[in-house]
Amino acid sequence: MTDDLRSAGAPTLEDVARAAGVSRATVSRVVNGVRNVDPVIQEAVRRAVSVTGYTPNRAARSLVTRRADAIALVVSGAGVEPGAAEESEDTTESGDGSSFTAQVFADPFFGRVVTGVVNYLRPRGMHPVLMFAESSRAREEVVAYLRQGSADGALVVSTHAEDPLPALIAEAGLAAVLFARPARPVPVSYVDLAHQDGARLAAEHLLGRGCRRAATISGPLDVPAGQARLTGFRDTMARHGHPYIPVVEGQFTQESGEAAMERLLAKHPDLDGVFAANDLMALGACHVLREHGRSVPGDVAVVGFDDSSAASACRPPLTTVRQPVEGMAAEMTRLLLDRLARPDGPVTSVIFEPELVVRGSA
């Protein structure tokens, strides 16, 4: 940047126009993404922007492009209105927003989603707006926020199979992409993992270690991922001559994994292998096994799912099925930006492949 530009304060469109040898209107068109500008001129303007250090005014640009340059990252559940709290014994379903957000932030999965989204948006001059939709009122606020153009679209992570938000967004004709296949079909693009294949990897690994009395702690069975992981594990075990697999349903939390492991040990004290449908539940299972004097993996081999921070926190470190959450979140974001660029494009899905990560627990 030249000394006279430095002394004049923040660079302006006029500064860029002089440096590029074009009109102010041409610079404005290039900066705001208007497509019918000669590529040679576009490159000259981009070089001038770099030389001058010009930064577009976001508010002014939004008036031209009608874009907020912001994406809503929505963590959604299926709670009810706060007034109905006394009708429910489960605080996560009672409209208690503080308990819902606490549960979200306690799960390392959501941090990985945020990392993937932020890392994709940041180089593109965009930012996420974190929103929670744990009640019907909160869902209405999310839809209104998107309708008003406060965000250009939504990335939705549902925590409950009965979550109505994806359908509400689709009915409103708003741009959105989901993390994970919805329990009920809606015309919205999504990214997901081949969950059954991941559970197959876990079963084959336990069988390969010689486990013959395996059990599983499933995820919530009203969630597609929980169903698929259980189905994949059971089917693979059956294909290898093990038709009966004890199952206790968990809720993807460490506490539910501990409770499930207690129940399994009480009914099946001779079990020699456990597949937990996520790492937090596997971590809870390992705690309980140690408390009962069972060594891991000597007495009981344990395999988790996700390859989250809980896997490295476990002792011994957890063998687990890797779900590339950060990459999936980035792809979810790419799909949304593509939808914004081509509103009439087809709804699509991207399915990622799991990978077994072998550590000390199995």
Side-chain angles (χ1 to χ4, degrees), residues 330-344:
E331 179 64 12
M332 174 174 65
T333 312
R334 185 195 70 78
L335 290 176
L336 180 59
L337 297 189
D338 187 59
R339 165 65 62 175
L340 294 173
R342 298 186 303 126
D344 297 329

Side-chain angles (χ1 to χ4, degrees), residues 116-166:
V117 170
V118 170
N119 287 347
Y120 192 88
L121 288 178
R122 182 179 291 163
R124 292 160 177 82
M126 304 181 74
H127 62 277
V129 178
L130 183 60
M131 304 184 74
F132 295 94
E134 75 286 357
S135 67
S136 59
R137 184 180 305 159
R139 287 188 287 274
E140 291 171 3
E141 291 172 354
V142 168
V143 172
Y145 189 83
L146 294 170
R147 284 185 184 276
Q148 293 163 3
S150 299
D152 298 319
L155 302 168
V156 181
V157 182
S158 289
T159 63
H160 197 286
E162 297 302 318
D163 181 14
L165 184 61

Side-chain angles (χ1 to χ4, degrees), residues 239-328:
R239 288 173 184 269
H240 288 81
H242 300 277
Y244 172 66
I245 301 298
V247 180
V248 175
E249 182 179 0
Q251 296 299 317
F252 286 148
T253 64
Q254 181 175 336
E255 293 76 14
S256 70
E258 291 173 353
M261 193 69 251
E262 291 282 6
R263 290 176 59 187
L264 285 171
L265 281 177
K267 292 184 177 181
H268 308 279
D270 63 340
L271 60 81
D272 60 3
V274 174
F275 167 54
N278 84 335
D279 291 341
L280 283 174
M281 294 193 300
L283 179 62
C286 287
H287 285 173
V288 169
L289 287 167
R290 284 199 301 273
E291 290 174 354
H292 283 263
R294 309 293 177 88
S295 68
V296 177
D299 297 323
V300 182
V302 178
V303 177
F305 204 111
D306 284 340
D307 195 23
S308 67
S309 58
S312 55
C314 189
R315 292 294 177 268
L318 194 63
T319 292
T320 184
V321 177
R322 176 164 175 74
Q323 178 174 204
V325 175
E326 293 86 352
M328 294 169 70

Side-chain angles (χ1 to χ4, degrees), residues 29-277:
R29 290 163 64 196
V30 173
V31 168
N32 289 309
V34 178
R35 296 184 180 182
N36 61 340
V37 179
D38 184 275
V40 174
I41 295 177
Q42 290 187 39
E43 181 58 30
V45 171
R46 292 191 183 101
R47 284 199 302 269
V49 167
S50 177
V51 169
T52 60
Y54 172 75
T55 301
N57 181 286
R58 185 177 297 275
R61 180 179 176 184
S62 67
L63 291 175
V64 176
T65 62
R66 297 185 179 275
R67 291 286 178 83
D69 284 342
I71 297 298
L73 176 55
V74 186
V75 182
S76 182
V80 297
E81 287 290 356
E86 61 272 16
E87 299 177 8
S88 173
E89 297 179 357
D90 185 345
T91 57
T92 64
E93 296 296 325
S94 68
D96 182 351
S98 61
S99 62
F100 179 78
T101 54
Q103 180 181 358
V104 168
F105 286 124
D107 191 331
F109 166 83
F110 294 104
R112 296 176 67 192
V113 171
V114 172
T115 297
V117 170
V118 170
N119 287 347
Y120 192 88
L121 288 178
R122 182 179 291 163
R124 292 160 177 82
M126 304 181 74
H127 62 277
V129 178
L130 183 60
M131 304 184 74
F132 295 94
E134 75 286 357
S135 67
S136 59
R137 184 180 305 159
R139 287 188 287 274
E140 291 171 3
E141 291 172 354
V142 168
V143 172
Y145 189 83
L146 294 170
R147 284 185 184 276
Q148 293 163 3
S150 299
D152 298 319
L155 302 168
V156 181
V157 182
S158 289
T159 63
H160 197 286
E162 297 302 318
D163 181 14
L165 184 61
L168 292 174
I169 289 176
E171 290 167 4
L174 299 167
V177 178
L178 312 179
F179 194 108
R181 174 173 60 89
R184 297 178 180 177
V186 291
V188 179
S189 296
Y190 66 83
V191 301
D192 206 348
L193 187 78
H195 296 282
Q196 290 195 34
D197 290 345
R200 173 181 55 79
L201 294 174
E204 290 175 346
H205 184 71
L206 289 174
L207 289 167
R209 285 185 54 88
C211 295
R212 295 297 179 265
R213 298 178 301 281
T216 183
I217 302 172
S218 77
L221 295 180
D222 60 350
V223 175
Q227 298 169 1
R229 294 176 192 181
L230 176 59
T231 297
F233 188 75
R234 275 177 158 171
D235 284 355
T236 303
M237 296 299 289
R239 288 173 184 269
H240 288 81
H242 300 277
Y244 172 66
I245 301 298
V247 180
V248 175
E249 182 179 0
Q251 296 299 317
F252 286 148
T253 64
Q254 181 175 336
E255 293 76 14
S256 70
E258 291 173 353
M261 193 69 251
E262 291 282 6
R263 290 176 59 187
L264 285 171
L265 281 177
K267 292 184 177 181
H268 308 279
D270 63 340
L271 60 81
D272 60 3
V274 174
F275 167 54

